[in-house]
Amino acid sequence: LVDAEKKIPPSKSDYGDVPNIERRVREQISRSNLWVYKGNDVTVDAVDALLGHFYKDNLHGIGRKRIAILGVGNLGAKLALKLVERGADVFVTRRNIKKLRKISDAINLIKSKYTTAKVSWTTDNLNAATNADIVIGATNGIPVITEEIIESLSPKGVIVDVGKGTITPGAIEKAEKLNIYIYRVDVTAALCGMIKTLSMTD
């Protein structure tokens, strides 16, 4: 089972500093079955399932919920598309405003024309998170979820960490005092589903 996502800069060869893992494994495997997957897609499915579970008893599911994705990149953009298609109003942030606008415009272009929910962008994390039902930290090593963001959430707000180190220690303490739950996404269920799909396809 191999992560097939290609992350090779144009200047690198197949045997450069960032190897094509799938190709390397294919070159070595002679007897075993080889199945490939993309790690970010498994994570997106895991987050989607988790949020769906939170609102399983709600008439609209996650529809009409305000969701902030702080640090929208590859994973965050895929997640934003999935959540907006489920009817959530999604607010995305990132530091590079040019890329942020393009990502937001692309998602709104790709989503079904019958989906009335949309993705909005801002460079202000606090603005995106204010009155949010769900805040998703999707940065890689940058703690963007602060005490102020915790205080700005809707009364039953939820924090989901899908990045690495997205929450400040002060925010964790503040969330604990306010009984706001913080979840670190577990991909086990989504991974099992993906393996079942690969097995049935095979």
Side-chain angles (χ1 to χ4, degrees):
L1 192 61
V2 179
D3 187 340
E5 189 163 347
K6 306 297 188 283
K7 299 180 180 178
I8 307 169
S11 62
K12 302 291 183 183
S13 72
D14 284 336
Y15 297 96
D17 295 332
V18 186
N20 177 331
I21 297 172
E22 180 185 355
R23 176 174 169 178
R24 277 292 185 75
V25 173
R26 286 186 186 281
E27 290 172 345
Q28 301 300 318
I29 296 296
S30 59
R31 292 190 303 271
S32 299
N33 287 334
L34 175 65
W35 293 344
V36 295
Y37 74 101
K38 286 178 55 249
N40 275 358
D41 293 352
V42 174
T43 302
V44 168
D45 288 342
V47 174
D48 180 57
L50 179 66
L51 298 183
H53 182 73
F54 286 155
Y55 298 101
K56 65 183 180 184
D57 297 325
N58 187 301
L59 185 63
H60 301 287
I62 65 170
R64 302 183 181 178
K65 298 298 179 193
R66 179 182 171 115
I67 301 176
I69 301 176
L70 310 183
V72 67
N74 180 284
L75 190 152
K78 292 173 182 175
L79 191 52
L81 176 61
K82 183 163 272 205
L83 297 176
V84 81
E85 286 180 333
R86 291 187 59 174
D89 290 313
V90 180
F91 293 79
V92 295
T93 72
R94 84 179 273 157
R95 290 178 294 180
N96 185 318
I97 193 167
K98 187 176 178 181
K99 288 183 179 179
L100 178 61
R101 283 179 173 166
K102 285 184 177 181
I103 289 169
S104 181
D105 289 345
I107 293 169
N108 286 322
L109 182 66
I110 292 167
K111 72 180 178 72
S112 169
K113 65 180 179 181
Y114 301 112
T115 299
T116 57
K118 65 177 185 171
V119 173
S120 303
W121 65 269
T122 177
T123 56
D124 186 334
N125 289 332
L126 182 58
N127 183 30
T130 299
N131 296 319
D133 301 291
I134 301 160
V135 171
I136 299 169
T139 59
N140 189 1
I142 302 170
V144 290
I145 301 175
T146 62
E147 292 178 59
E148 293 78 19
I149 285 176
I150 297 294
E151 291 171 340
S152 75
L153 298 179
S154 70
K156 293 183 179 180
V158 170
I159 303 289
V160 180
D161 175 20
V162 299
K164 298 171 184 171
T166 65
I167 309 168
T168 67
I172 294 171
E173 292 176 11
K174 179 64 72 174
E176 190 173 36
K177 288 177 184 175
L178 297 175
N179 290 321
I180 291 173
Y181 290 102
I182 299 173
Y183 295 88
R184 173 70 185 151
V185 99
D186 181 347
V187 301
T188 304
L191 188 62
C192 288
M194 183 271 302
I195 290 171
K196 183 69 174 175
T197 300
L198 292 171
S199 175
M200 291 182 73
T201 302
D202 194 45

